[in-house]
């Protein structure tokens, strides 16, 4: 199951640089996860300082 980034995202980019699948990119006001690329490893959720990432 892919992860999703919620409204509490502060768009810091920490998750993007840690994603082993390259599934995260910068959106307008928050990062976004490409569900097709996401391997559901949870790395992004574990490094998010805002706690904005959870399983979809």
């Amino acid at each position: 199951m892919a992860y999703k980034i919620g409204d509490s995202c502060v768009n810091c980019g920490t998750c993007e640089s840690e994603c082993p699948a390259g599934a995260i990119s910068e959106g307008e006001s928050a990062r976004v996860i490409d569900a097709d690329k996401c391997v559901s490893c949870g790395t992004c959720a574990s490094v998010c300082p805002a706690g904005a990432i959870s399983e979809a």
Side-chain angles (χ1 to χ4, degrees):
M1 178 172 259
Y3 279 71
K4 64 178 180 174
I5 299 176
D7 294 338
S8 59
C9 176
V10 295
N11 209 16
C12 68
T14 301
C15 60
E16 184 176 0
S17 63
E18 294 293 323
C19 179
I24 303 173
S25 59
E26 188 172 2
E28 273 189 45
S29 61
R31 295 292 199 244
V32 293
I33 297 176
D34 182 335
D36 292 332
K37 290 182 181 178
C38 180
V39 296
S40 300
C41 67
T43 301
C44 57
S46 69
V47 299
C48 179
I53 304 173
S54 61
E55 284 188 275

